Amino acid sequence: TDLATMNNVPAVYSLLEDLGLRTTKSVWPLPGTEPTQTEGATCDDPDYLRWVLELQTRGFEIGYHMATYHTSVRNRTIEGLDRFSELFGFRPKVMANHSQCRENVYWGDARLSGWNRVAYNALTRFRYRDRYRGHVDGDPHFWGDLCREQITYCRGFVFPDINTLAACPQMPYHDPERPYVNQWYASSEGPEVNAFNRCCSEANQDRLEAEGGACIMYTHFGSGFYENGEINPRFRELITRLSRKNGWFVPVGTLLDYLRTKNSDRDITRRERNRLERRWLQHKMKVGSS
């Protein structure tokens, strides 16, 4: 969703469709009223909405990326969730927190426990301590109860390796210490075109295939994938090569539904979670971000 407009992302999705790939497209249901660094099109834009609805009819999944591109209080979040349901005919199945939104659920230091949280706050100079409030009952930004009622899967940790399933074999999982999220999933990091291309290199594709793994790639197609009237050549080359493999190319929710039958709605143990937290923390020490 971030930076996505009708000028830079439709061509990318046309390529994906032509190659037989179906993915998850996140949206902001409501218009924004404040400027931010990651502003992009919202469902208030008639042309954008028409295009997103067409994507949905062609097999792309629509996901939730908060009500809009800046912070919303509870009433605004309720409006956003209702608008999503009105537009797309269902409550959002999958979501990802948006870093600019204080109503994020279990984000910033709230993703971590114990000494891992202490280390994170020290490394980030306490910039994100208690910043995100969507899970704090009684806070103006609280909507955790609605998240639990309406949304099945929420994105959590992000790892640098292409094999997301190897990094987080428990997914999707429930975390008893974070009860407002039903099921967490992880993803592989490729937020802009160069990072995406590095993660999806030929060698990494072949290794993913050899390992029998699964990749859930987190990216922003509005960030460098289409410029000066053409799709990034390296991205086109890599995604075309990937599409020719004997893979199962489905939206996030479809993959997670399948994995959920294998993991039997399991709760993650503290030991498993500590291992995930440390691996993620080590990655963030290298790349930064909240």
Side-chain angles (χ1 to χ4, degrees), residues 258-274:
Y258 172 76
L259 292 176
R260 194 174 177 184
T261 65
K262 302 297 182 181
N263 285 338
S264 304
D265 282 344
R266 60 167 296 175
D267 286 356
I268 196 168
T269 67
R270 289 188 178 182
R271 184 174 183 177
E272 290 169 334
R273 193 176 205 290
N274 183 60

Side-chain angles (χ1 to χ4, degrees), residues 62-82:
I62 309 302
Y64 185 73
H65 199 35
M66 317 310 276
T68 192
Y69 50 76
H70 57 69
T71 296
S72 301
V73 295
R74 180 179 175 88
N75 286 344
R76 183 78 163 160
T77 295
I78 293 173
E79 183 182 354
L81 289 167
D82 288 345

Side-chain angles (χ1 to χ4, degrees), residues 163-166 207-215:
N163 192 345
T164 320
L165 189 59
R207 178 168 54 82
L208 177 67
E209 182 179 26
E211 293 172 353
C215 175

